Structure formats: C-alpha cells, structure tokens
Amino acid sequence: MSLKFFDKLSQNLVELLNDGYDCNIVLLLENIQPNENNIKIITKPSISSKIFDVILKYIYGGIVNLEKVETRFIFDLMLMANEFELTELSNELETILIEDKASWLKTHFSLVYRSIFVKENFKNLESFCNDIVVKYPNLIFDKNIQPNENNIKIITKPSISSKIFDVILKYIYGGIVNLEKVETRFIFDLMLMANEFELTELSNELETILIEDKASWLKTHFSLVYRSIFVKENFKNLESFCNDIVVKYPNLIFDSSDFTSLPESALLSLLKRDDLQMKEVEIWDYVIKWGIAQNSTPPTNLGDWTKENFSTLKTTLQHCLPHIRYFHITIIEIYDKIRPYKKILDKQLWEDINQHLAAPDRPIKSIILPARSVVNTELPPRTTKPFSTIISEEHAAEISSWIDRKIVTYSTANIPYNFELILRGTRDGFAPQTFWNICHGHVCTIVVAKVKGTDEIIGGYNPLAWDNTLDGNSNKWMEAKGSFIFSLKNGSIQNSILSRVKNTKSAILQVGKNNQKYFGPYFGYGFSLYSEKSNLNLDSLSCCDNCYVFYEKRVKTSSDRFSIDNYEVFKVLRKS
C-alpha cells in the first residue's frame, strides 16, 4: 500500500535523496523555538533509520510506501509523524489503523491506549479506544486502583496464564469464549480470573457450567474449590453447592489437616446453616480451635492464659460466636467446654446461659437461635451396596486372578485387590473427553463395558497411567507387557475369554488432545471405545475386531462395531 501526497507539494523532490549529495534538511515546526541562527532543531535519538527514511521520502516526494511492513511499524510511524508535526501524514496513518488494522489495535490495546494520550493529537484513536473502555471499563479501571500521572488505572496480574488472558481478551472484544477441548481446571481458573477482572457476566456463566456440568470434578477437587471461592465472596451459587455437601459431611472440612486455614467467611457460612450435621458442642470445639490458630500460639495450659489472650481470642471470634446455639448445649457440655472460655463471651450472654440451665421457662435477653436440624443418626440395618453396576464379585475375582497370572481363580473371599470406582458412564457421562479428564494419571486400571442389546461384558486391563497431555492430532502407541483384554461370563455368554497382549509395543493408545473427544480407552484394536458424536452411548463405532492381532485373540464373537449401555473404570489397589 502506497500513500501519495503529490497534490499537496509543489514538486517531487524525492530524487534528491538518491543523487549522492549531502543535503541540509529543514523542517518547519511551529511548536519548537528557533536557535540563535533562527533554525528550529528537533532531536529524536530514538527514531529508527527506517522510519526516518520514510519521513524524508514523504517530505521530499509525498510518497509513503507501506507495503510489506508490519502494523507496529505503521503505529510507530504515526507517532513519529506526530512528533515532527506532519499532521497530514499522522492523520492518514491514524485512519488506516482504525479502518484496516482494528484487530491489531485491540490485541495491543494497552500499548495503544497509553501511547495516544501522551500527546493529545489522536482524537479518532482516542474515540476508538474509549468506545471499548466504556463498554468494558474493567479493562482499564478498577475501583480499588489509583490512577497514575496520566490518569490511567493499571491492573497488574503477574500470575495470569497467557492462555487464560487470551480467552479473556477474546471475551472482551468479541463476546466469545471457546471452552472446547479444555480441562475443567482451566474453566475453574478462568472463572477465578474473570472475577478478578470484575467480568461478572463471564464469571457467573462459568460458575453455572461448573455446577451443572462439572459437579463430579468439583467434588473430586473439593478442598481446592472450597478454599478458593471464599477468598472473594462473589460465588454464591458455588458456596451453596459446596455448603450443601459440607453440612451433610462436615468432616470434609472440619477434620481436614488445613481446617485452621479456612477463610473466616467460609466458616461463617457454615455456622449460619441450621442443617449442619454436627453436635453443637463439637462445633464450639472447632470454632475455638480455628480462633486460636489465627493468632500467635497462647500457652497450652488454659490456666496460664492472660487477660490479653482471652481478649485476643474474643476479638478474633467476634463474628463467629453469635452463631453458636448455646441454649441447645447440655449442662455437662456447658460446664466442661463453654465455662473455661466464658471470658470471651459477653457478660449478659453468660448470665442468660446459666439462667436458662436453671430455669429454662424464664425469659432472657439474649437471642435464642433454633436448634440445628440434625438428622437421626441411628442407621438402618447395613446393606452392602454393589461396587459395580456391570460386574459382580465373581468377575472381580476372575480379573484379579488374570492380573496375578493365576491358573486357579481366586474365591470371592480371597480377592487380593480393591476395585476403586473412578468413572461410571451413567454417573459421569459418556463423552470420550470425560474419560481422559477423569482417568488422567491413574495407573493399574480396569475398564469394563456392557454392550448394548446383548449380555456381553468386555473390558481391558492397563498397568500404565492414562495420559491426556499429548498435544495435537497425533496418537502414540504405548508399550505395556502386562496388559490384557477380556469378555466375561454373563447371561447367555457361557464362558469368559482372556486375551493377553501379543504386540507389547502397541498395547495401549495414548490419544492426542485434538482426538480425545472421539477416542475413549484403546487397547490395541482388541477393545476400543470410539464415538464421532462424542457420546459412546449413541453411535455404534466401538470395536473388538483385533484386526492387527495386537492381542492374542478376539474377545467378542462378532467383529461388528457396537454401542454400549454403560461402562466403568476401576483403579485396582492391592489390599494391605
């Protein structure tokens, strides 16, 4: 692209630049004072020779050649043209950037925004940028950040990953967030960072996705989730989701090793719950434990505590203490647990507690909170819940025998392994990507699948770790000497079939990230789950034809492709 300004010049003098003679260059600059020789001098030591050459050719010939130059060069040329008061050139370059290079301006928004306000000569660019800022003010402004000398507020987030920041920029400029082929942890981290940038709409949408579609991940990574969402109290739905779990299983938090590092807001949210399934005196004990841990360690012996120790604890727990249900604690528990810490309670409350114990029908001044609705702890007669919806104890004994290469099958009373469920299709979904997300890193796993429309149960054993980190479209065969595939006796299927790996170098397929939405677990071609609809339960593309004889023999009578009703993945752990 070339810009021609001949009509604004008396003649084309560009040839002077190429004639081999030295020439004095005089630029008429209105805002620069002349020296004693009445010559205005401007010094720009930082100007590049390439930009200065373009400026000279513009001055002498009215030509600016922008072919094969990067957009950053055009931007820098515009700034330098402005420095030399070449208004016509500066304005023309400004127009080119806005009309033809808008995507570059947005991608380099911070650089552009800070450069154009140094000298206020770029009104069109200022309007272009401010149109973005008024729509997404959090890109520049933050109510807790003070402006610098140029009245610009800068947000510094050194810990943000480039991938997350790229998604945030695309959301700001295009309103699009692509979450295909990303792990759930990425969605969670993106939600946290969107909250940091006060992108409420994005943060709320990601919060909903996690709760509605990624509940199993939230439960698996409960401790991380619980502590993260209470740092800033903007995730009310996630708070409710987590607290609904904690009130039923309080040991998840209260018995955790890092309980005392729990944010106060998280602890308060639990103390306010009427359905927290704990005895009130136990709640009191944990609150005291948490409060003590927030300060420098006081004397171990409570008798050695000073007035200052009690005062400090009272201040620390000032928001927690009002939520204890004191009037639903027994007299013995009051005497043993509450009385030693009576100095952290208000005088009126302690008097009311004692009066209520002596005369419960008399009115008191303190507020009596309702008792917590603890469910009946008397359990019904124990029933053994099946560990699997596909295989039986007898199947587990048979598979265990194959793992240990035993000729005689173990009895169900002597199974040496625990089968720990990792994934179940009917619980976690049938998307192949779910398999790679959940099973990543797990070693010594059994995969079993129930073939749709038949009694067939087929599966495989992988002694290696499943790995979802392989980039791109490439898949990679993994060597595994102990791998095997099988079909199990079930219904009309009279006998089980065992087929050990034959080509050990092609036992297990490690699938590239771009293919994980199609490929599930792949045991050679002897047993593989596959779907082009990203749902193993919908199309019939899984196979057991063993076409390349990577395993000893076929485990399925028919070589036809099939769909599945359900599948499960177990981690096999030797019993201690």
Side-chain angles (χ1 to χ4, degrees):
M1 173 174 57
S2 294
L3 306 178
K4 295 184 178 181
F5 300 87
F6 288 141
D7 56 331
K8 302 294 179 69
L9 297 174
S10 59
Q11 57 182 318
N12 180 7
L13 303 176
V14 75
E15 294 299 325
L16 290 174
L17 297 176
N18 303 317
D19 67 2
Y21 293 97
D22 293 332
C23 303
N24 290 326
I25 299 167
V26 178
L27 304 179
L28 300 179
L29 306 172
E30 296 179 0
N31 298 322
I32 297 181
Q33 296 301 315
N35 63 11
E36 64 276 6
N37 297 318
N38 201 35
I39 297 175
K40 295 182 179 181
I41 300 174
I42 182 170
T43 302
K44 289 295 175 186
S46 61
I47 186 173
S48 73
S49 58
K50 187 176 180 181
I51 286 180
F52 193 59
D53 181 66
V54 172
I55 287 177
L56 289 180
K57 288 180 179 177
Y58 163 75
I59 293 171
Y60 288 113
I63 297 175
V64 176
N65 186 358
L66 299 181
E67 293 181 6
K68 301 179 182 179
V69 299
E70 297 182 355
T71 307
R72 175 60 189 266
F73 180 85
I74 299 174
F75 181 74
D76 291 341
L77 178 60
M78 179 195 70
L79 297 179
M80 198 53 65
N82 177 66
E83 288 287 326
F84 282 108
E85 299 180 9
L86 303 173
T87 306
E88 180 188 37
L89 176 59
S90 175
N91 290 347
E92 183 66 26
L93 295 171
E94 182 182 20
T95 300
I96 290 171
L97 287 168
I98 294 172
E99 294 182 354
D100 302 331
K101 307 294 182 180
S103 61
W104 185 92
L105 295 174
K106 294 175 181 178
T107 305
H108 300 80
F109 187 84
S110 180
L111 165 69
V112 173
Y113 198 77
R114 283 153 181 76
S115 300
I116 61 177
F117 285 97
V118 174
K119 290 196 174 181
E120 301 177 12
N121 295 331
F122 305 104
K123 298 302 180 184
N124 293 331
L125 266 176
E126 288 180 18
S127 297
F128 175 89
C129 291
N130 284 334
D131 285 345
I132 295 173
V133 173
V134 295
K135 188 175 182 180
Y136 305 103
N138 298 305
L139 189 63
I140 297 296
F141 300 100
D142 186 289
K143 60 175 179 266
N144 298 319
I145 298 177
Q146 297 301 315
N148 63 13
E149 64 277 6
N150 296 319
N151 201 35
I152 296 174
K153 297 183 178 182
I154 301 174
I155 300 175
T156 303
K157 294 293 179 186
S159 61
I160 187 173
S161 73
S162 58
K163 188 175 180 182
I164 285 180
F165 192 60
D166 180 65
V167 172
I168 287 178
L169 286 179
K170 288 177 180 177
Y171 165 75
I172 291 172
Y173 293 125
I176 297 174
V177 175
N178 185 358
L179 298 179
E180 291 183 8
K181 302 177 185 176
V182 300
E183 297 182 356
T184 307
R185 175 60 189 266
F186 180 85
I187 299 174
F188 182 74
D189 291 341
L190 178 61
M191 179 195 71
L192 297 180
M193 197 53 65
N195 178 66
E196 287 288 321
F197 281 105
E198 298 182 8
L199 302 172
T200 307
E201 178 189 39
L202 176 58
S203 176
N204 290 347
E205 183 65 26
L206 295 171
E207 183 182 20
T208 300
I209 289 172
L210 287 168
I211 293 172
E212 294 183 356
D213 302 332
K214 307 294 182 181
S216 62
W217 185 91
L218 295 174
K219 293 174 183 176
T220 304
H221 301 80
F222 189 83
S223 181
L224 164 70
V225 173
Y226 199 75
R227 280 158 177 75
S228 300
I229 61 176
F230 283 96
V231 174
K232 289 196 174 182
E233 301 175 33
N234 296 329
F235 306 105
K236 296 304 179 185
N237 293 330
L238 265 177
E239 288 179 18
S240 296
F241 175 88
C242 290
N243 280 340
D244 285 346
I245 295 173
V246 175
V247 294
K248 294 178 182 177
Y249 309 102
N251 60 297
L252 285 174
I253 294 300
F254 288 93
D255 289 341
S256 63
S257 59
D258 53 355
F259 163 71
T260 54
S261 66
L262 195 69
E264 182 187 39
S265 57
L267 181 58
L268 280 172
S269 70
L270 291 172
L271 295 179
K272 294 175 182 179
R273 293 285 294 247
D274 292 337
D275 53 350
L276 180 57
Q277 301 297 295
M278 295 176 66
K279 293 179 63 177
E280 201 64 35
V281 70
E282 292 174 351
I283 297 173
W284 168 266
D285 286 340
Y286 280 111
V287 168
I288 294 297
K289 177 183 177 181
W290 181 89
I292 291 174
Q294 308 312 304
N295 305 291
S296 56
T297 306
T300 305
N301 186 353
L302 197 60
D304 296 331
W305 277 35
T306 64
K307 182 178 180 180
E308 183 180 356
N309 292 140
F310 284 106
S311 178
T312 300
L313 182 61
K314 181 177 182 179
T315 301
T316 301
L317 297 177
Q318 60 181 313
H319 299 121
C320 297
L321 294 177
H323 300 289
I324 301 295
R325 320 298 168 95
Y326 301 98
F327 301 99
H328 303 285
I329 301 176
T330 67
I331 186 171
I332 294 177
E333 292 167 343
I334 291 289
Y335 184 83
D336 291 341
K337 300 289 187 176
I338 310 297
R339 186 182 61 84
Y341 292 96
K342 67 180 182 180
K343 293 180 181 179
I344 70 173
L345 302 179
D346 291 338
K347 183 177 180 181
Q348 182 63 54
L349 174 60
W350 180 241
E351 289 179 357
D352 287 343
I353 290 173
N354 283 285
Q355 177 184 314
H356 185 73
L357 292 173
D361 295 331
R362 290 187 180 181
I364 57 176
K365 295 180 180 179
S366 300
I367 297 174
I368 299 181
L369 297 175
R372 300 188 196 273
S373 53
V374 179
V375 298
N376 186 5
T377 56
E378 184 176 343
L379 300 176
R382 182 179 295 274
T383 58
T384 302
K385 185 178 180 180
F387 73 99
S388 170
T389 60
I390 299 177
I391 63 174
S392 64
E393 291 283 345
E394 289 75 14
H395 291 142
E398 190 170 30
I399 294 170
S400 298
S401 303
W402 293 336
I403 294 173
D404 289 347
R405 296 181 178 269
K406 298 292 184 182
I407 298 176
V408 178
T409 301
Y410 289 120
S411 68
T412 55
N414 295 312
I415 299 175
Y417 297 102
N418 287 319
F419 283 53
E420 181 183 288
L421 183 67
I422 300 172
L423 182 154
R424 176 175 289 148
T426 53
R427 182 189 69 183
D428 303 306
F430 290 91
Q433 186 67 60
T434 300
F435 168 80
W436 293 105
N437 291 346
I438 294 179
C439 297
H440 171 72
H442 286 291
V443 298
C444 299
T445 52
I446 289 288
V447 180
V448 293
K450 175 66 172 59
V451 178
K452 185 176 288 187
T454 75
D455 290 330
E456 292 174 295
I457 298 173
I458 52 180
Y461 171 66
N462 177 18
L464 307 178
W466 296 105
D467 187 352
N468 67 4
T469 62
L470 186 63
D471 288 329
N473 296 310
S474 299
N475 301 327
K476 180 181 179 183
W477 287 111
M478 304 299 293
E479 182 176 2
K481 296 180 180 179
S483 180
F484 58 83
I485 57 176
F486 55 84
S487 62
L488 298 173
K489 177 182 178 180
N490 183 56
S492 62
I493 310 300
Q494 298 298 310
N495 297 296
S496 298
I497 300 174
L498 168 65
S499 178
R500 295 193 181 276
V501 65
K502 185 175 182 180
N503 181 354
T504 58
K505 295 185 181 298
S506 301
I508 304 294
L509 187 65
Q510 183 181 351
V511 177
K513 288 184 177 180
N514 293 347
N515 294 327
Q516 289 172 10
K517 62 181 178 180
Y518 306 118
F519 290 76
Y522 243 71
F523 294 83
Y525 291 98
F527 166 47
S528 54
L529 298 181
Y530 180 86
S531 171
E532 291 184 353
K533 297 180 180 179
S534 291
N535 189 323
L536 299 169
N537 183 245
L538 291 182
D539 49 11
S540 299
L541 294 176
S542 298
C543 68
C544 283
D545 54 21
N546 201 31
C547 57
Y548 292 105
V549 198
F550 288 171
Y551 285 78
E552 292 174 338
K553 53 190 171 184
R554 245 176 28 202
V555 296
K556 191 174 184 295
T557 304
S558 169
S559 61
D560 295 340
R561 292 179 177 265
F562 58 90
S563 183
I564 60 173
D565 286 324
N566 195 12
Y567 83 112
E568 295 173 332
V569 182
F570 298 93
K571 187 169 185 175
V572 181
L573 302 171
R574 186 172 288 276
K575 295 178 180 178
S576 56

